[in-house]
Amino acid sequence: MKLAIASLLFGSSAAFSPALSGNKFTSSTQLSARKPFISGNWKLNPQTKDEAIALAGAIAGAVNEESPDADVALFVPYVFIESVMEKVGDWINIGAEGVCPEMAGAYTGAISAPMLKSVGVQWALAGHSERRVIYGETDDYINSQCLKLIEQGMSVMLCIGESLAEFEQDLAGSVCAVQLKKGLKGIAKEDLDKVAIAYEPVWAIGTGKVATPEIAQSVHATCRAIIADMYDQEAADAMRILYGGSVTPESVDDLMSQPDIDGALVGGASLDAEKFGRIINFKTKVAA
């Protein structure tokens, strides 16, 4: 591996496809034009340093010369970052699950971009739905996280996605448009190589529910069209857009075979080395 690092549970895709049936956007590029990016988000797991080191080592063992030519990253709790980095070496990029946009000062419990950079972190998450919902992080706050990371020469994975109610009301595209436009505000085209987008329908995170590949592809194509409108087609074609939301070994191949799905942000399955190893070693399918 050259490292730089299902049907929908509710039934057939027809059950939810009307919300996106008007989408006319199509991809002008294929996954082969963008390097795949497989990432895991450990969230508040595991519970000890020893467990984190063991899990990271087992995941790194799944990456080999036969693996797809993809970037692989793990977003882990702050306290495990250096230990996990030491364990995986150059095989996997270790990122942070968040960042405070402030540089220094009276912000108890906060971790700044320079702090992360000083221990070797290159990537951090911003905008995950759990941060939006549980901790009240706003689009403006998330934008400030993105800007601060890029200012420090680091990279950000901007997470976006709609709730089930919004999806059923045909608002997936509108929600993603707002979150993209606000999250990327002030970021110049020349800095977009430091950005990846993770589309995570909120109703699929940690629930075992996963959108059909066709539904996920439709929203990804919409997101790419929004980026083209914000910047230009070149920027849109270069942007890596990952799918997140209960990605599993059983669903990853179909998802990664879609032209606008460039990778995965994996939650629960990234805590199982065997499952996440299979996701890292995804197999794209050739259309008949």
Side-chain angles (χ1 to χ4, degrees):
M1 178 177 179
K2 304 173 184 175
L3 286 167
I5 349 212
S7 111
L8 193 63
L9 78 160
F10 299 115
S12 70
S13 61
F16 282 86
S17 58
L20 295 166
S21 61
N23 181 6
K24 302 299 183 183
F25 302 124
T26 57
S27 174
S28 61
T29 60
Q30 297 295 314
L31 176 59
S32 59
R34 295 178 293 271
K35 191 171 188 180
F37 194 169
I38 303 297
S39 58
N41 177 16
W42 282 3
K43 307 185 182 185
L44 190 60
N45 300 288
Q47 298 307 299
T48 70
K49 183 176 79 170
D50 288 345
E51 290 174 330
I53 291 170
L55 176 58
I59 290 171
V63 183
N64 56 63
E65 294 296 332
E66 301 303 316
S67 297
D69 184 15
D71 288 333
V72 180
L74 287 171
F75 294 95
V76 309
Y78 299 124
V79 295
F80 299 147
I81 286 174
E82 290 187 276
S83 298
V84 169
M85 276 185 175
E86 182 177 350
K87 182 65 176 180
V88 303
D90 294 333
W91 287 101
I92 297 175
N93 193 353
I94 303 303
E97 295 180 13
V99 65
C100 175
E102 303 297 337
M103 294 292 284
Y107 300 97
T108 301
I111 303 291
S112 71
M115 289 176 181
L116 293 172
K117 188 175 181 179
S118 73
V119 297
V121 170
Q122 179 60 34
W123 282 88
L125 298 177
H128 194 282
S129 66
E130 290 157 4
R131 300 297 306 184
R132 295 177 187 265
V133 174
I134 299 172
Y135 296 96
E137 294 184 358
T138 65
D139 286 314
D140 288 341
Y141 184 85
I142 292 160
N143 175 242
S144 65
Q145 292 176 304
C146 295
L147 291 171
K148 189 59 64 176
L149 287 163
I150 290 172
E151 177 186 294
Q152 294 297 307
M154 300 168 69
S155 298
V156 61
M157 185 174 293
L158 173 62
C159 303
I160 63 172
E162 81 287 348
S163 67
L164 178 59
E166 290 166 336
F167 186 88
E168 291 178 316
Q169 294 174 50
D170 196 13
L171 295 175
S174 297
V175 171
C176 290
V178 169
Q179 292 176 348
L180 279 172
K181 290 177 180 179
K182 290 188 174 182
L184 297 176
K185 182 180 179 181
I187 298 177
K189 177 184 174 182
E190 55 266 30
D191 287 324
L192 290 179
D193 60 347
K194 300 180 182 69
V195 178
I197 305 298
Y199 165 63
E200 297 191 296
V202 177
W203 48 269
I205 299 173
T207 64
K209 306 170 184 178
V210 59
T212 64
E214 294 77 17
I215 289 173
Q217 161 60 26
S218 183
V219 180
H220 278 233
T222 298
C223 291
R224 201 172 302 285
I226 293 165
I227 295 168
D229 184 62
M230 294 175 62
Y231 295 95
D232 57 26
Q233 193 61 50
E234 180 182 48
D237 289 343
M239 179 62 70
R240 291 189 290 185
I241 305 176
L242 289 63
Y243 174 77
S246 299
V247 177
T248 66
E250 293 73 31
S251 65
V252 67
D253 293 347
D254 287 331
L255 288 166
M256 291 300 294
S257 297
Q258 302 301 313
D260 283 293
I261 298 179
D262 305 317
L265 178 58
V266 183
S270 70
L271 299 173
D272 184 311
E274 182 176 355
K275 290 181 179 179
F276 193 53
R278 173 62 181 83
I279 291 170
I280 291 171
N281 291 287
F282 66 89
K283 299 174 176 62
T284 53
K285 299 180 178 180
V286 178

